[in-house]
Amino acid sequence: MDEHSEPLAYFTARKILQFPDDFGTGCLVQSESLPELVEPTKRLWLALQYEGMAEVEYKHDPRTDEYRLIEINTRPLGPASVRCCE
């Protein structure tokens, strides 16, 4: 995010497999176009006046067919995430 909370670049992806199963880091992640998440995420960054790198995670709620915000990570993934499936 630049100094005006505008994305310099972004991508969307879906977590296919994580380890440990119930709370772990994504071991298999598939790049996927999820345009329904881009605008709400841009509004969130702007409301927070955020600048820098951020990973915003959502979970799909099948009961309402909506995405729910889980967390915002402001750090890059490190070596621990690379080792998760070794």
Side-chain angles (χ1 to χ4, degrees), residues 35-55:
E36 62 272 27
L37 297 179
V38 175
E39 286 306 315
T41 304
K42 287 169 70 174
R43 286 194 307 270
L44 175 63
W45 285 326
L46 188 58
L48 295 172
Q49 299 179 359
Y50 187 76
E51 179 181 348
M53 193 215 82
E55 175 193 358

Side-chain angles (χ1 to χ4, degrees), residues 25-81:
T25 300
C27 295
L28 179 59
V29 179
Q30 178 178 335
S31 176
E32 184 173 325
S33 178
L34 298 164
E36 62 272 27
L37 297 179
V38 175
E39 286 306 315
T41 304
K42 287 169 70 174
R43 286 194 307 270
L44 175 63
W45 285 326
L46 188 58
L48 295 172
Q49 299 179 359
Y50 187 76
E51 179 181 348
M53 193 215 82
E55 175 193 358
V56 182
E57 288 191 40
Y58 295 88
K59 182 153 180 85
H60 183 257
D61 185 343
R63 299 169 299 177
T64 62
D65 197 32
E66 295 176 319
Y67 286 91
R68 305 290 183 176
L69 178 66
I70 295 177
E71 66 179 339
I72 301 172
N73 291 310
T74 59
R75 56 175 165 55
L77 295 175
S81 63

Side-chain angles (χ1 to χ4, degrees), residues 6-30:
E6 288 292 325
L8 297 170
Y10 69 87
F11 73 95
T12 55
R14 185 177 305 275
K15 190 186 301 184
I16 306 299
L17 177 68
Q18 65 183 22
F19 183 81
D21 289 340
D22 53 351
F23 64 89
T25 300
C27 295
L28 179 59
V29 179
Q30 178 178 335

